[in-house]
């Protein structure tokens, strides 16, 4: 099982490295055509992974499909594992739409030039992957010891849904955001962008750029939405 996880994580890191280090090494405005092309590539990769899930569980590669799934009490074979994977994929894809709207709102508030948006999105996506992985594995460990925690996560998911419904149509006020206030109090921030840099030097002092505040808020968003992911995915499967 360790080899499977190592290979999977290495593949993800390789694809991210190719994205930032090769295909987007130089800052440029991403066109709609380019965005659609890359979206198709990533979705195709995610869907094609279902073939690995099917054959891995059907043939019990390196221990896959050898334990009972606590959600429905069955041992997953190729078919059930693939159905659960694709269901989880669609659910997580739906939840990620929230991230899109929030990130777009943050970009608009800070007036981030289109030229620099890809770098922020890249690290935002990397943070989302990292946060979801940490929270899901931590959630599994918690629920295995304290089953009632799942109800707490479920209540949080309902609460965030109600809050989003209540806030619908209202103009968000990022200026009064507690995290943003804390960051500005904690460190000096330049009023101007300095290319893709998160930090710059003004009057001999190293200070943060507005782009750093953007990535910090995007990271905070990743944490909040990662908590949402736990009850959503655990309603489908408990198989990590």
């Amino acid at each position: 099982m360790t080899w499977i996880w190592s290979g999977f994580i290495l593949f993800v890191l390789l694809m991210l490295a190719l994205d930032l280090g090769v295909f987007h090494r130089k800052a440029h405005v991403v066109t709609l055509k380019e965005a659609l092309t890359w979206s198709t590539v990533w979705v195709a990769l995610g869907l094609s992974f279902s073939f690995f899930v099917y054959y891995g569980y059907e043939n019990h590669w390196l221990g896959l499909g050898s334990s009972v799934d606590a959600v429905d009490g069955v041992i997953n074979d190729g078919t059930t594992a693939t159905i659960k994977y694709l269901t989880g994929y669609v659910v997580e894809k739906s939840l990620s739409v929230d991230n899109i709207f929030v990130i777009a709102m943050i970009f608009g508030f800070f007036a981030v030039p289109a030229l620099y948006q890809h770098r922020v999105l890249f690290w935002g996506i990397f943070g989302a992957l990292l946060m979801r992985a940490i929270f899901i594995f931590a959630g599994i460990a918690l629920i295995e010891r304290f089953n009632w925690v799942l109800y707490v996560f479920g209540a949080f998911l309902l609460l965030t849904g109600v809050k989003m419904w209540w806030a619908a149509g209202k103009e968000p006020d990022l200026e009064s955001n507690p995290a943003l206030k804390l960051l500005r109090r904690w460190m000096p921030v330049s009023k101007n962008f300095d290319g893709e840099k998160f930090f710059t030097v003004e009057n001999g002092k190293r200070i943060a750029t507005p782009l750093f505040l953007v990535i910090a808020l995007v990271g905070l968003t990743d944490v909040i939405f990662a908590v949402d992911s736990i009850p959503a995915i655990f309603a489908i499967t408990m198989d990590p």
Side-chain angles (χ1 to χ4, degrees), residues 121-182:
L121 285 172
F122 173 88
W123 289 112
I125 291 169
F126 181 80
L129 291 171
L130 185 63
M131 288 297 105
R132 273 167 169 74
I134 291 172
F135 276 63
I136 287 174
F137 279 100
I140 289 173
L142 273 174
I143 291 168
E144 284 180 346
R145 295 190 64 183
F146 312 105
N147 189 260
W148 53 266
V149 172
L150 191 57
Y151 296 100
V152 176
F153 289 141
F156 180 83
L157 185 60
L158 286 172
L159 180 65
T160 53
V162 170
K163 189 174 180 180
M164 287 181 67
W165 173 78
W166 180 77
K170 296 181 180 180
E171 189 69 28
D173 183 18
L174 276 180
E175 198 64 54
S176 60
N177 182 279
L180 188 57
K181 286 183 176 180
L182 183 64

Side-chain angles (χ1 to χ4, degrees), residues 12-231:
V12 171
L13 292 176
L14 176 63
M15 294 305 297
L16 291 173
L18 284 172
D19 184 294
L20 190 65
V22 178
F23 299 112
H24 295 93
R25 184 174 56 184
K26 293 183 179 179
H28 65 278
V29 177
V30 177
T31 63
L32 179 61
K33 181 180 179 181
E34 183 182 359
L36 288 172
T37 300
W38 275 111
S39 293
T40 302
V41 169
W42 291 117
V43 170
L45 278 173
L47 294 177
S48 63
F49 187 70
S50 61
F51 291 100
F52 173 82
V53 173
Y54 176 82
Y55 288 105
Y57 276 82
E58 191 69 15
N59 299 295
H60 303 290
W61 292 345
L62 300 175
L64 288 175
S66 58
S67 58
V68 174
D69 193 331
V71 169
D72 52 15
V74 304
I75 296 178
N76 291 317
D77 59 11
T79 301
T80 58
T82 304
I83 290 172
K84 289 176 182 179
Y85 168 73
L86 291 174
T87 304
Y89 184 87
V90 171
V91 168
E92 292 293 338
K93 200 71 173 173
S94 303
L95 287 173
S96 70
V97 174
D98 294 339
N99 293 59
I100 294 173
F101 286 116
V102 172
I103 291 173
M105 179 185 68
I106 295 171
F107 280 172
F109 177 80
F110 285 96
V112 180
L115 189 64
Y116 310 134
Q117 289 180 4
H118 178 269
R119 191 181 186 203
V120 175
L121 285 172
F122 173 88
W123 289 112
I125 291 169
F126 181 80
L129 291 171
L130 185 63
M131 288 297 105
R132 273 167 169 74
I134 291 172
F135 276 63
I136 287 174
F137 279 100
I140 289 173
L142 273 174
I143 291 168
E144 284 180 346
R145 295 190 64 183
F146 312 105
N147 189 260
W148 53 266
V149 172
L150 191 57
Y151 296 100
V152 176
F153 289 141
F156 180 83
L157 185 60
L158 286 172
L159 180 65
T160 53
V162 170
K163 189 174 180 180
M164 287 181 67
W165 173 78
W166 180 77
K170 296 181 180 180
E171 189 69 28
D173 183 18
L174 276 180
E175 198 64 54
S176 60
N177 182 279
L180 188 57
K181 286 183 176 180
L182 183 64
L183 281 169
R184 282 176 169 164
R185 190 181 308 164
W186 178 55
M187 64 172 61
V189 181
S190 173
K191 294 181 179 180
N192 304 309
F193 290 94
D194 185 8
E196 290 186 295
K197 295 178 181 178
F198 294 132
F199 294 92
T200 188
V201 177
E202 287 186 1
N203 299 321
K205 292 183 178 180
R206 186 175 174 81
I207 62 175
T209 66
L211 210 60
F212 177 81
L213 295 183
V214 172
I215 195 67
L217 286 179
V218 170
L220 179 64
T221 301
D222 288 337
V223 173
I224 294 170
F225 286 123
V227 177
D228 281 355
S229 293
I230 295 175

